């Protein structure tokens, strides 16, 4: 297929930014005929272009004949108009006016047989044709309009036949790809061979699942485009679907539909624009990608069931002894025979954006796949399992690594999963366990990671990443029954534990005093109180709490109770087993 020097036409119109190609119009898939192509017909070989030569690459949708002065009711945009000028013989043969009307009607060119009814166009008419980029062609004697129409019709039919033959060949190749077990990468490779300089398939939220580039195109050139963010995610939330976006690499992204649901995008890029052949092929390729996604999802569902069931058993201590767990994991492509950390990532569902059961399941599956891709980029043997409310990862520990080191690693992975927060993602909270050395320790590590996620969410909010060893006193408190903790806090603080503005104000005063070892001068400065005002508040606090300024044991109890209040509601955030 030849490639033109500029954006190629669709439906007789040049592709422009914002032009919708899908969703209402029937795309035949035939390559466009340009005015230059038309002039290669034997019947037009002896003609002369006397103006508007810059418009010879404009597309031609058909040929029409001017037989009456008001022909404009019967012409269509993109047509070439043939005339002897006979309808103008009584109107002063104003060719400038005729040319203006031809341009206003959206026609592609004017072929004129002069001398008999109208004179040869003067210089002003030729200059106007140049200004309008509208080819003005003089036809010699001896050529009948019927011959031109017949040859033009044959040209259009030949192009349509070429398109149909090519479409059938590509469709057969795409069907063979699906039948033979081809992948999304194969779909992209076929597109690069047929129509594109680069192509890629994304998930619904823009994560690139597969890609291919042609000769002379480097993948880094694609990733540098503004339609991809810094994490390499395609910005589906900002990119129009089924619309050509021009540029150094013009692109078209088409939705991939599976059972009527958007499951991703097929994005095709080419340096010199996209024509109707390309659009037709891209539509077929998107349908093929949907079949491949469906097949891969079915296979993955079966495989993931075995994987997640085994991982659940390992995390709850029901998978057998260490040797059995290590061997079974190895058969699944996982490595559990090494020091590791358990990572738990829990989605923060938002009540104001509820999902149906099917959508929630689909989202959780994509969330698990995002974690799997991000983790396996650096640790391909790490077990990853997606469950109804969380994703669990067992990642290799770095020899001699500190909690800060693993925190940085997990932060990098979580950033890749988030993809800068685009694509309709929901926030998630992450917990990290201490290092374990044997599969026997997996249940303890899973409980630690789950507790770290829950405590981190309570202390820092959704989106936190918390290592169990950094919980401090909260690590100990998290191991105590929540009911006991609440009872202890209310017994120790009394009415100061109430959920009232006055009690909250006193708790803040108490917190600052305890953090500064009951230094009244320093606390009054930080609280913006007069020294005597704070002394009065301390007296008021001691009346309710006891001698906190003189009794260190009582002061410790009060500080512990304040920490407990910060953990209020932890029992609602935790879980005991993946599921």
């Amino acid at each position: 297929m030849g490639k033109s020097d500029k954006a190629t036409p669709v439906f007789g119109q040049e592709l422009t930014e914002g032009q919708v190609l899908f969703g209402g119009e029937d795309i035949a898939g035939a390559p466009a005929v340009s005015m230059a192509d038309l002039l290669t017909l034997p019947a037009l070989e002896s003609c002369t272009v006397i103006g508007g030569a810059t418009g010879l690459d404009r597309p031609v949708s058909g040929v029409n004949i001017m037989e009456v002065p008001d022909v404009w009711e019967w012409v269509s945009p993109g047509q070439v108009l043939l005339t002897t000028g006979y309808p103008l013989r009584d109107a002063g043969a104003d060719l400038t006016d005729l040319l203006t009307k031809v341009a206003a009607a959206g026609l592609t060119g004017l072929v004129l047989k002069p001398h008999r009814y109208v004179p040869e166009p003067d210089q002003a008419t030729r200059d106007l044709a140049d200004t309008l980029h509208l080819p003005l062609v003089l036809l010699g004697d001896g050529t009948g309009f019927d011959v031109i129409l017949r040859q033009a019709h044959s040209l259009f039919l030949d192009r349509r036949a070429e398109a149909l033959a090519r479409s059938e060949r590509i469709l057969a190749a795409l069907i063979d790809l699906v039948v033979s077990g081809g992948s999304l990468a194969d779909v992209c490779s076929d597109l690069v061979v047929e129509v594109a300089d680069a192509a890629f398939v994304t998930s619904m939220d823009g994560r690139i699942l597969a890609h291919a580039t042609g000769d002379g195109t480097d993948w880094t050139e694609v990733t540098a485009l503004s339609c991809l963010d810094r994490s390499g995610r395609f910005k589906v939330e900002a990119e129009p679907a089924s619309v050509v976006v021009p540029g150094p690499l013009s692109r078209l992204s088409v939705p991939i539909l599976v059972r009527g649901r958007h499951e991703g995008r097929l994005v095709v890029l080419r340096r010199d624009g996209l024509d109707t052949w390309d659009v037709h092929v891209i539509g077929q390729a998107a349908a093929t990608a949907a079949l491949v996604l469906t097949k891969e999802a079915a296979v993955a569902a079966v495989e993931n069931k075995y994987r997640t069931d085994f991982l659940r058993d390992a995390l709850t201590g029901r998978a057998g002894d260490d040797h059995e767990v290590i061997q079974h994991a190895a058969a699944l492509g996982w490595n559990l025979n090494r020091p590791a950390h358990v990572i738990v990532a829990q989605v923060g569902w938002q009540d104001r954006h509820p999902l149906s059961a099917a959508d929630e399941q689909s989202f959780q599956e994509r969330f698990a796949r995002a974690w799997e891709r991000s983790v396996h980029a650096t640790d391909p043997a790490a077990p990853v399992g997606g469950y109804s409310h969380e994703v669990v990862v067992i990642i290799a520990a770095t020899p001699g690594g500190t909690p800060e080191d693993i925190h940085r690693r997990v932060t990098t992975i979580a950033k890749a999963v988030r993809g800068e927060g685009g694509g309709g993602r929901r926030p998630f909270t992450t917990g990290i366990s201490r290092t374990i050395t044997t599969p026997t320790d997996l249940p303890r590590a899973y409980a630690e990671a789950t507790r770290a996620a829950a405590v981190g969410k309570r202390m820092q909010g959704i989106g936190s990443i918390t290592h169990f060893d950094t919980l401090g006193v909260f690590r100990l408190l998290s191991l105590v029954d929540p009911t006991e903790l609440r009872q202890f806090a209310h017994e120790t603080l009394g009415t100061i534990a109430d959920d009232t503005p006055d009690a909250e104000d006193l708790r803040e005063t108490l917190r600052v005093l305890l953090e500064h070892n009951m230094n009244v001068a320093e606390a009054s400065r930080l609280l913006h109180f007069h020294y005597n005002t704070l002394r009065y508040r301390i007296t008021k606090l001691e009346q309710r709490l006891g001698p906190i300024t003189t009794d260190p044991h009582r002061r410790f109890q009060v500080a512990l109770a304040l920490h407990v209040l910060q953990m209020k509601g932890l029992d609602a955030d935790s879980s005991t087993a993946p599921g």
Side-chain angles (χ1 to χ4, degrees):
M1 181 188 65
K3 297 182 179 181
S4 64
D5 294 332
K6 60 184 292 186
T8 45
V10 171
F11 310 131
Q13 302 293 325
E14 289 185 2
L15 299 179
T16 58
E17 185 171 7
Q19 179 182 354
V20 178
L21 302 182
F22 291 84
E25 298 195 68
D26 178 26
I27 297 177
V33 174
S34 70
M35 187 68 183
D37 293 332
L38 197 67
L39 295 181
T40 63
L41 295 174
L44 295 174
E45 284 181 340
S46 61
C47 66
T48 305
V49 179
I50 64 171
T54 54
L56 288 175
D57 60 348
R58 295 177 62 179
V60 176
S61 62
V63 180
N64 210 331
I65 298 175
M66 182 178 184
E67 296 179 331
V68 293
D70 58 347
V71 70
W72 317 113
E73 297 181 24
W74 293 277
V75 297
S76 301
Q79 290 182 340
V80 172
L81 191 63
L82 308 178
T83 184
T84 61
Y86 179 80
L88 304 176
R89 68 191 187 285
D90 297 328
D94 188 351
L95 295 181
T96 300
D97 180 63
L98 173 63
L99 206 60
T100 301
K101 290 179 178 178
V102 168
L107 303 186
T108 293
L110 177 65
V111 178
L112 177 67
K113 184 182 287 188
H115 304 307
R116 187 169 183 179
Y117 299 109
V118 293
E120 188 167 317
D122 57 16
Q123 190 60 45
T125 304
R126 300 183 185 202
D127 291 343
L128 178 60
D130 290 337
T131 300
L132 296 172
H133 305 288
L134 183 69
L136 177 58
V137 181
L138 294 187
L139 188 64
D141 293 333
T143 302
F145 286 173
D146 61 327
V147 177
I148 297 174
L149 290 173
R150 185 167 61 252
Q151 292 180 3
H153 186 61
S154 295
L155 177 60
F156 293 135
L157 289 178
D158 288 345
R159 290 294 176 89
R160 177 63 60 84
E162 291 174 15
L164 290 175
R166 181 173 182 269
S167 177
E168 289 177 2
R169 174 175 57 82
I170 295 173
L171 181 58
L174 291 172
I175 292 173
D176 182 66
L177 185 152
V178 175
V179 172
S180 61
S183 65
L184 292 174
D186 293 326
V187 175
C188 295
S189 296
D190 281 3
L191 281 173
V192 166
V193 170
E194 295 293 345
V195 301
D197 290 305
F200 57 87
V201 175
T202 80
S203 62
M204 192 181 76
D205 56 2
R207 203 170 303 282
I208 294 178
L209 305 178
H211 73 270
T213 55
D215 295 338
T217 302
D218 191 272
W219 180 243
T220 57
E221 183 180 358
V222 177
T223 58
L225 295 173
S226 61
C227 59
L228 276 75
D229 66 23
R230 290 174 297 177
S231 70
R233 184 187 65 84
F234 184 65
K235 301 176 183 176
V236 290
E237 68 278 7
E239 188 76 6
S242 306
V243 174
V244 170
V245 179
L249 277 173
S250 295
R251 64 183 181 269
L252 173 67
S253 70
V254 183
I256 298 174
L257 301 177
V258 177
R259 302 185 189 93
R261 293 163 52 92
H262 283 205
E263 291 296 336
R265 296 275 188 98
L266 173 62
V267 184
V268 176
L269 305 101
R270 202 171 81 184
R271 298 187 189 283
D272 54 4
L274 297 158
D275 60 25
T276 49
W277 271 7
D278 307 326
V279 171
H280 191 60
V281 170
I282 293 166
Q284 293 175 333
T288 303
L291 293 175
V292 173
L293 277 176
T294 302
K295 179 202 68 177
E296 291 182 350
V299 173
V302 175
E303 292 179 347
N304 286 339
K305 175 174 174 51
Y306 289 104
R307 289 170 175 263
T308 54
D309 285 352
F310 165 71
L311 186 57
R312 180 189 294 108
D313 290 342
L315 293 171
T316 53
R318 299 195 302 265
D321 60 30
D322 285 354
H323 178 74
E324 291 175 320
V325 171
I326 290 170
Q327 291 296 106
H328 195 160
L332 296 173
W334 292 342
N335 186 356
L336 288 179
N337 189 24
R338 59 184 180 175
H341 298 274
V342 173
I343 314 298
V344 171
Q346 298 178 339
V347 174
W349 300 105
Q350 300 163 328
D351 293 337
R352 63 181 179 275
H353 297 300
L355 296 177
S356 66
D359 286 340
E360 184 174 317
Q361 179 181 356
S362 176
F363 173 85
Q364 194 66 16
E365 289 172 354
R366 294 194 304 272
F367 183 56
R369 289 196 298 268
W371 268 97
E372 186 172 23
R373 285 191 295 269
S374 301
V375 169
H376 286 174
T378 57
D379 188 359
V384 180
Y387 300 97
S388 61
H389 68 286
E390 65 186 12
V391 170
V392 181
V393 179
I394 305 176
I395 194 170
T398 303
T402 65
E404 290 74 21
D405 294 331
I406 186 62
H407 188 278
R408 282 191 292 270
R409 281 181 62 194
V410 174
T411 298
T412 300
I413 294 171
K415 183 178 179 181
V417 173
R418 291 188 181 97
E420 297 193 345
R425 286 177 180 77
R426 295 190 179 221
F428 58 89
T429 301
T430 309
I432 308 169
S433 78
R434 292 176 292 186
T435 304
I436 60 172
T437 56
T438 67
T440 301
D441 296 326
L442 282 172
R444 172 180 59 80
Y446 172 69
E448 289 175 355
T450 302
R451 182 58 60 182
V455 174
K457 177 182 177 181
R458 177 57 54 188
M459 306 308 299
Q460 304 173 48
I462 294 177
S464 64
I465 300 175
T466 309
H467 192 291
F468 188 75
D469 274 345
T470 64
L471 295 178
V473 68
F474 297 106
R475 168 180 156 187
L476 297 176
L477 293 176
S478 67
L479 301 177
V480 180
D481 179 69
T483 302
E484 291 291 335
L485 288 176
R486 287 195 299 272
Q487 184 175 348
F488 168 78
H490 283 276
E491 288 177 353
T492 302
L493 298 177
T495 58
I496 295 178
D498 293 345
D499 188 19
T500 64
D502 180 61
E504 185 177 349
D505 185 45
L506 287 174
R507 286 198 300 271
E508 176 64 14
T509 299
L510 188 57
R511 182 188 64 80
V512 173
L513 281 166
L514 292 170
E515 286 181 356
H516 293 83
N517 200 28
M518 304 304 291
N519 185 320
V520 180
E522 180 66 12
S524 62
R525 183 183 66 82
L526 292 171
L527 291 168
H528 305 291
F529 288 162
H530 188 276
Y531 183 90
N532 290 335
T533 301
L534 185 55
R535 292 298 309 175
Y536 169 76
R537 284 197 164 215
I538 292 174
T539 300
K540 187 176 179 181
L541 286 169
E542 290 197 305
Q543 289 174 350
R544 300 190 187 188
L545 302 176
I548 57 175
T549 59
T550 58
D551 185 344
H553 296 291
R554 185 59 181 169
R555 191 159 59 243
F556 174 75
Q557 284 183 303
V558 169
L560 202 58
L562 287 177
H563 284 313
V564 169
L565 288 183
Q566 287 182 271
M567 299 176 66
K568 184 178 180 181
L570 274 177
D571 52 325
D573 294 328
S574 62
S575 62
T576 57

